[in-house]
Amino acid sequence: MIFLQLFYTFFLIGLFGFGGGYGMLSLIQTETVVHYHWLTTAEFTNIVAISQMTPGPVGINSATYCGYTATVKAAHAAGYTGAAADAFGVLGSASSTFALVLPSLILMILISKMFMKYMDTPVVKSIFSGLRPAVVGLLAAATLLLCNGDNFSTPDINMWQFIVSVFLFAATFAGTMWLKVNPIKMICYAAIAGLVLLY
């Protein structure tokens, strides 16, 4: 049953996830954390971090990891352990990944020729003018959903972790926005700073 739920959920995310992987993150978090409770917020944050550090689009990587984690948890709840649970995880990750990619594959095959023919028409231009602000909104939602106590802590729980987290957030934002530091280097710097300051 969870395989069908994963396929259906990630198919819809792939169908409506305009703006690429980062635009999909808020949709993925809403479905996997809030709606189905397959993952906790902390697990989802770890998945996003891993997805950014591994090769490939962040949305597809997130779907792969979410599918694996959700099905392994379901397998453990059903009493499966070891290799059996891992097999469920592999099937879940394959199902989620395929479902996320399938709408794009179908749509791109159907509209690739038509788009080139009609891309300069007022209707198509208007559609894309409406989609651009929506994409920015999805990216902002993904950012704001991750700005919570699980990722930053709170001053009343752990003041030091909160201060370090806010500093790393600000430094990473400034480094990528104005100093144009490579995002991969910023991820590595933040990991080292977190290891040194929070260990």
Side-chain angles (χ1 to χ4, degrees):
M1 183 64 182
I2 192 169
F3 296 108
L4 292 175
Q5 287 179 322
L6 281 169
F7 188 89
Y8 176 74
T9 299
F10 281 97
F11 184 84
L12 288 180
I13 291 169
L15 189 60
F16 296 106
F18 297 102
Y22 291 102
M24 291 178 184
L25 286 180
S26 63
L27 297 174
I28 294 172
Q29 183 180 28
T30 300
E31 292 299 318
T32 59
V33 177
V34 178
H35 185 222
Y36 288 107
H37 304 289
W38 288 328
L39 306 168
T40 64
T41 303
E43 287 173 328
F44 181 76
T45 304
N46 291 339
I47 285 171
V48 171
I50 293 168
S51 298
Q52 290 176 327
M53 290 188 290
T54 51
V58 68
I60 294 173
N61 290 350
S62 296
T64 304
Y65 295 126
C66 286
Y68 182 86
T69 305
T71 48
V72 166
K73 281 185 172 183
H76 286 159
Y80 295 97
T81 58
D86 288 338
F88 275 104
V90 170
L91 289 174
S93 64
S95 174
S96 300
T97 305
F98 180 67
L100 189 76
V101 173
L102 186 59
S104 299
L105 177 66
I106 293 169
L107 289 171
M108 289 310 295
I109 289 171
L110 293 176
I111 68 171
S112 58
K113 288 185 179 179
M114 292 174 52
F115 180 71
M116 294 304 292
K117 185 175 181 181
Y118 297 109
M119 65 186 289
D120 292 325
T121 62
V123 173
V124 174
K125 286 183 178 179
S126 297
I127 290 170
F128 280 98
S129 293
L131 287 176
R132 287 186 197 108
V135 168
V136 174
L138 287 170
L139 293 172
T143 302
L144 293 174
L145 285 170
L146 293 174
C147 292
N148 55 34
D150 290 331
N151 298 321
F152 286 85
S153 188
T154 56
D156 56 327
I157 294 175
N158 188 334
M159 180 59 90
W160 177 246
Q161 184 177 352
F162 177 75
I163 291 170
V164 170
S165 298
V166 170
F167 171 76
L168 289 175
F169 175 81
T172 304
F173 182 80
T176 54
M177 183 76 176
W178 293 297
L179 301 176
K180 305 299 182 195
V181 178
N182 186 313
I184 295 171
K185 289 182 180 178
M186 289 304 303
I187 290 170
C188 294
Y189 296 153
I192 293 168
L195 186 64
V196 171
L197 297 171
L198 298 175
Y199 183 68

